[in-house]
Amino acid sequence: MEADVPMSDLSVKTTELHGWLDRFKAGDAVALNTMLTRVTSRLERLANKMMLRFPRVARWAEKDDVLQNASMRLVRALENVRPASMREFYALASMQGRREL
């Protein structure tokens, strides 16, 4: 277990993700909110790493703005895609972050 990984990230399981996605697709906005809250710290770390890889963009964009826009892209993508695992979920989130940058 990594010391810098918050417990909320470690405890998220694929079955939880699928439950939230199913509820979200059924119109439950609370499920989406819960899911995003539980994975926020991991998404923030992804955004930080990406901003370091795109120094030209980082000069003009704020990390929080990139994270928010990438999260909105992720939500739209999740309307059509069901990641089979947390790994696929974070890969999708990462792709949306790169697209935003």
Side-chain angles (χ1 to χ4, degrees):
M1 182 181 323
E2 292 181 40
D4 65 339
V5 178
M7 195 56 144
S8 62
D9 284 354
L10 294 175
S11 62
V12 176
K13 306 273 188 265
T14 300
T15 53
E16 284 179 290
L17 175 68
H18 287 170
W20 293 324
L21 290 175
D22 291 343
R23 289 174 40 208
F24 163 61
K25 289 180 181 182
D28 184 354
V30 173
L32 175 64
N33 224 12
T34 301
M35 177 185 64
L36 291 176
T37 299
R38 294 288 301 278
V39 299
T40 295
S41 61
R42 177 86 181 257
L43 296 178
E44 287 174 345
R45 287 194 306 276
L46 280 171
N48 283 334
K49 287 180 183 180
M50 286 183 196
M51 292 295 283
L52 292 173
R53 289 185 206 134
F54 293 88
R56 290 182 186 158
V57 174
R59 188 172 70 181
W60 302 106
E62 295 289 328
K63 177 199 59 119
D64 290 337
D65 293 336
V66 171
L67 178 60
Q68 180 178 5
N69 291 338
S71 295
M72 290 172 27
R73 286 175 178 268
L74 176 61
V75 168
R76 285 192 301 270
L78 289 171
E79 291 174 352
N80 301 310
V81 175
R82 181 180 174 145
S85 65
M86 290 307 296
R87 181 183 183 120
E88 285 185 17
F89 172 81
Y90 288 119
L92 179 64
S94 183
M95 178 174 43
Q96 300 310 320
R98 286 189 304 275
R99 287 179 177 170
E100 181 59 30
L101 288 170

